[in-house]
Amino acid sequence: MSIAKSGVKLVESSDIVEKARNVLLHEADEIRQLAGRLGAAFEAAVHMIVDCRGRVVVTGVGKSGHIGGKIAATFASTGTPAFFMHAAEASHGDLGMITADDVVIALSNSGESDEIINILPAIRRLGAPILSITGSTDSTLSRESQVHLSAAVSHEACPLGLAPTASTTAALALGDALALCVLELREFTAEDFAHSHPGGSLGRRLLVRVKDVMRTGDAIPSVKENATVQQAIQEISSKGMGFTAIVDAEQHPVGVFTDGDIRRLFVQGLTDHQAPVTSVMSHQPKLLGTQQMAVEAVSLMEQHRINGFLAVNEQQQLAGAFNMHDLLKAKVV
């Protein structure tokens, strides 16, 4: 199949896919080459960031600036306070965001970007160490940095050799490597990550606890031990959760009575509504502590084929109840 438009070269679809594959393979090969060159300078860069008492300030212009923004975002989301400062804006007041406790990561493929070179004296006066990432090991920026990392590539993926492609990919990958090595040294956990992403699915799964989703007070379906089957059915109907807890005088759950139990009673021909609910309830109800993660309930519901849970406090007293609808509403599942 050929594609042709006015002013557009006629190219076979198979050729397009092959060209795209060559771009991806070339950029992947450049990253492999970069990985083989890592050494003492990279270790020094990681320790510089780990020892930083302030924030990581990433700066750059053009395509390097776009890459720098992503690197700063990766650091921030993995436990290292960071932000991006556009090098062109730095000399117009944004340098005031930098302190001596910060580390500055400067990106420039050539290492000669005027906007960055012009602010180096000011950064040195502020006392912030500079970590540079460039494509040239012999450049003004690399020489003026305390630590320099090379993101050099043999050539760009662009057929014209002009558009930053392989070089920006290499710089981005190097930034990821820095951030993730720092993450491990700081023993950053998945729960720590969730605290930085409370609006995401991972945040909800790792931060939402049973106490955050459970129904409390009068909304809890509950009857005393001396209640009848009829009273328990009325409680299930009025609370709309499909079950009710049966509690003793100290509010400890001793059983649970569910819609399923009601159906089984009718199938068995047991229709004495005045019988004590303790004679037909399910003993040893499934309980979760109010401080447990709500996501734990999901796997337990699947494992035990149940639709709801009773929640208890530290004294093992009934404190709440929730079902799958509550977990869905909280977007835990």
Side-chain angles (χ1 to χ4, degrees):
M1 177 181 177
S2 299
I3 301 174
K5 290 184 180 180
S6 178
V8 178
K9 181 181 178 181
L10 185 66
V11 180
E12 293 292 333
S13 296
S14 58
D15 290 340
I16 293 175
V17 173
E18 184 61 24
K19 290 177 185 298
R21 184 176 291 114
N22 289 337
V23 170
L24 296 177
L25 291 175
H26 173 67
E27 296 201 4
D29 185 60
E30 293 290 359
I31 292 177
R32 279 191 290 269
Q33 296 295 323
L34 175 61
R37 298 197 302 267
L38 295 181
F42 185 84
E43 292 184 23
V46 170
H47 287 293
M48 176 187 287
I49 297 169
V50 170
D51 295 339
C52 175
R53 294 180 298 172
R55 301 152 302 172
V56 171
V57 183
V58 187
T59 189
V61 292
K63 302 301 186 294
S64 292
H66 294 305
I67 297 301
K70 194 277 179 184
I71 291 174
T74 299
F75 272 113
S77 69
T78 54
T80 299
F83 65 90
F84 176 74
M85 178 189 70
H86 196 285
E89 297 293 337
S91 59
H92 294 279
D94 283 3
L95 277 171
M97 294 187 288
I98 302 176
T99 73
D101 291 330
D102 300 332
V103 167
V104 175
I105 299 180
L107 288 86
S108 169
N109 188 41
S110 67
E112 301 293 346
S113 301
D114 290 339
E115 296 88 346
I116 295 179
I117 302 305
N118 290 340
I119 62 175
L120 292 181
I123 294 174
R124 284 199 297 271
R125 284 196 299 271
L126 291 168
I130 300 171
L131 162 61
S132 62
I133 298 177
T134 75
S136 172
T137 57
D138 184 21
S139 64
T140 302
L141 179 56
S142 63
R143 290 192 298 269
E144 295 294 327
S145 305
Q146 278 81 354
V147 177
H148 170 255
L149 297 179
S150 171
V153 296
S154 60
H155 61 278
E156 300 288 4
C158 169
L160 302 177
L162 299 174
T165 46
S167 60
T168 49
T169 299
L172 178 61
L174 195 56
D176 286 343
L178 283 170
L180 299 184
C181 286
V182 171
L183 174 152
E184 291 201 19
L185 286 179
R186 288 181 169 168
E187 298 182 342
F188 189 78
T189 66
E191 186 167 351
D192 294 327
F193 185 88
H195 282 290
S196 299
H197 301 74
S201 59
L202 178 62
R204 287 190 293 271
R205 289 174 62 85
L206 295 180
L207 295 180
V208 177
R209 299 185 182 275
V210 167
K211 65 182 179 63
D212 300 318
V213 301
M214 70 185 191
R215 306 184 196 188
T216 61
D218 292 338
I220 305 173
S222 172
V223 298
K224 299 293 186 182
E225 284 181 295
N226 59 0
T228 64
V229 170
Q230 181 175 344
Q231 290 172 323
I233 292 175
Q234 290 173 337
E235 182 72 356
I236 292 174
S237 299
S238 65
K239 299 301 171 62
M241 294 191 69
F243 62 89
T244 182
I246 294 86
V247 297
D248 61 20
E250 287 75 36
Q251 283 297 108
H252 299 126
V254 296
V256 65
F257 189 56
T258 70
D259 282 339
D261 293 325
I262 297 172
R263 290 193 296 272
R264 282 186 287 273
L265 288 179
F266 278 98
V267 169
Q268 295 168 8
L270 303 176
T271 58
D272 183 5
H273 291 177
Q274 298 307 310
V277 70
T278 52
S279 66
V280 294
M281 70 182 185
S282 298
H283 296 270
Q284 297 180 334
K286 301 295 185 295
L287 308 175
L288 283 176
T290 58
Q291 294 299 320
Q292 286 183 254
M293 307 311 299
V295 71
E296 294 180 40
V298 179
S299 59
L300 290 173
M301 284 179 175
E302 295 174 349
Q303 178 182 343
H304 298 290
R305 298 183 179 179
I306 58 178
N307 189 50
F309 266 98
L310 302 177
V312 294
N313 58 24
E314 293 180 355
Q315 291 74 42
Q316 296 301 299
Q317 296 171 310
L318 183 64
F322 63 96
N323 58 19
M324 183 61 76
H325 293 294
D326 298 311
L327 295 174
L328 288 169
K329 185 177 179 180
K331 297 183 179 180
V332 174
V333 291

